[in-house]
Amino acid sequence: SQTIHQWPATLVQPVGSPLSLECTVEGTSNPNLYWYRQAAGRGLQLLFYSVGIGQISSEVPQNLSASRPQDRQFILSSKKLLLSDSGFYLCAWWQGLGDTQYFGPGTRLTVL
Amino acid sequence: GESVGLHLPTLSVQEGDNSIINCAYSNSASDYFIWYKQESGKGPQFIIDIRSNMDKRQGQRVTVLLNKTVKHLSLQIAATQPGDSAVYFCAENIGRRALTFGSGTRLQVQP
C-alpha cells in the first residue's frame, strides 16, 4: 500500500532563516506530487506541483521554492522565511484522474 | 474556484441527525470530485468521490450528490456522530494535473 511521509512534524524558525521540508512517498511510482499551505482555520492553497523529476510548476508567487530530486521525493524550501510563511504545510500525491489525491500528515511551521 | 482567504463556515448538528454539507464549483468542465475530512492538526482524509457521469454515489453513512446543471456538490452524513466533527472540503479536478479545493465547512456535532 502507498504511504506518504513528511518531516519534520513541527518546526519553529526565526524570520530570515532558511527552510527545508521533505516529503516522500512509498508504494507508488511516477506520482504527481503537490505542496499545499493551510493557514489556521482556512482552506488549502496550492503552492507547487510536480509531474516528474525536476519538473516543478508554481501556482503562486512567493519566497518559497520546490524541488523534486527523486521520483518519490518532494522538497519545499526557502532561503529567508517571512512571518507570513507560518502555516500548516501539506504534501500530497496523485496518480491521475479517477484516483484520489492522498495527503501526508503535514508540517506545522511557526515563524517568529 | 478556490477561496483560500475566507474563514470557514460552521454547521452545527445534533448527534444522530443527518448532516448536509454543500459545495459550489465554478468550472463546468470539471469531471471528478472528491470530499475530504480534516481533523484538527491532521492532513485531509479521503471520504468519497464521484465522476461527472454520475449524480449520486453512496458509501458507508455518506452520500455524495452532484448536480451539474447548477454546479453543486453535496455531502450527506447519516446519523452524525461526535467523531464526524471536522472540517470538510470538496475538491474538483481541473486541468487533470491538480485539484482545486473549496474553502471548507466546519461540522460541529453536539452531544
Side-chain angles (χ1 to χ4, degrees), chain A residues 17-78:
Chain A
S17 64
L19 173 73
S20 181
L21 303 182
E22 188 165 347
C23 170
T24 58
V25 183
E26 296 177 357
T28 186
S29 60
N30 198 31
N32 289 357
L33 296 174
Y34 304 83
W35 278 112
Y36 292 87
R37 177 169 58 202
Q38 186 176 33
R42 302 198 178 202
L44 297 165
Q45 180 184 30
L46 178 63
L47 302 175
F48 300 96
Y49 70 90
S50 171
V51 299
I53 296 173
Q55 300 179 65
I56 307 295
S57 295
S58 175
E59 289 293 301
V60 293
Q62 57 206 320
N63 70 320
L64 299 172
S65 62
S67 62
R68 186 166 176 179
Q70 300 180 45
D71 181 44
R72 287 170 286 181
Q73 184 184 32
F74 204 22
I75 297 172
L76 183 69
S77 305
S78 175

Side-chain angles (χ1 to χ4, degrees), chain B residues 8-86:
Chain B
L8 299 174
T10 298
L11 173 66
S12 185
V13 300
Q14 293 292 320
E15 182 178 356
D17 287 352
N18 296 333
S19 303
I20 300 176
I21 300 171
N22 297 303
C23 180
Y25 64 95
S26 56
N27 193 330
S28 57
S30 296
D31 50 14
Y32 180 60
F33 304 86
I34 308 175
W35 278 102
Y36 287 93
K37 172 187 179 183
Q38 186 179 26
E39 297 175 307
S40 180
K42 298 183 179 180
Q45 293 177 293
F46 169 83
I47 301 174
I48 192 167
D49 58 0
I50 189 168
R51 295 195 178 202
S52 60
N53 61 353
M54 304 170 67
D55 53 20
K56 181 179 180 179
R57 192 170 186 207
Q58 289 184 291
Q60 187 178 14
R61 280 202 308 119
V62 295
T63 301
V64 55
L65 298 177
L66 175 62
N67 186 330
K68 294 181 287 295
T69 301
V70 296
K71 291 184 283 189
H72 183 266
L73 192 68
S74 69
L75 176 70
Q76 300 179 359
I77 304 174
T80 312
Q81 304 168 358
D84 294 327
S85 293

Side-chain angles (χ1 to χ4, degrees), chain A residues 32 34 36 38 40-46 49 51 88 90 94 97-106 108, chain B residues 2 4-8 31-32 34 36 38 41-44 46 49 51 89 93 96-99 101-103 106:
Chain A
N32 289 357
Y34 304 83
Y36 292 87
Q38 186 176 33
R42 302 198 178 202
L44 297 165
Q45 180 184 30
L46 178 63
Y49 70 90
V51 299
F88 192 45
L90 290 158
W94 190 29
L97 179 65
D99 293 320
T100 303
Q101 193 171 120
Y102 295 97
F103 286 85
R108 183 160 304 283
Chain B
E2 192 172 7
V4 175
L6 301 177
H7 288 282
L8 299 174
D31 50 14
Y32 180 60
I34 308 175
Y36 287 93
Q38 186 179 26
K42 298 183 179 180
F46 169 83
D49 58 0
R51 295 195 178 202
F89 293 97
N93 175 27
R96 298 180 181 269
R97 287 190 171 182
L99 297 175
F101 285 80
S103 55
R106 186 178 306 279

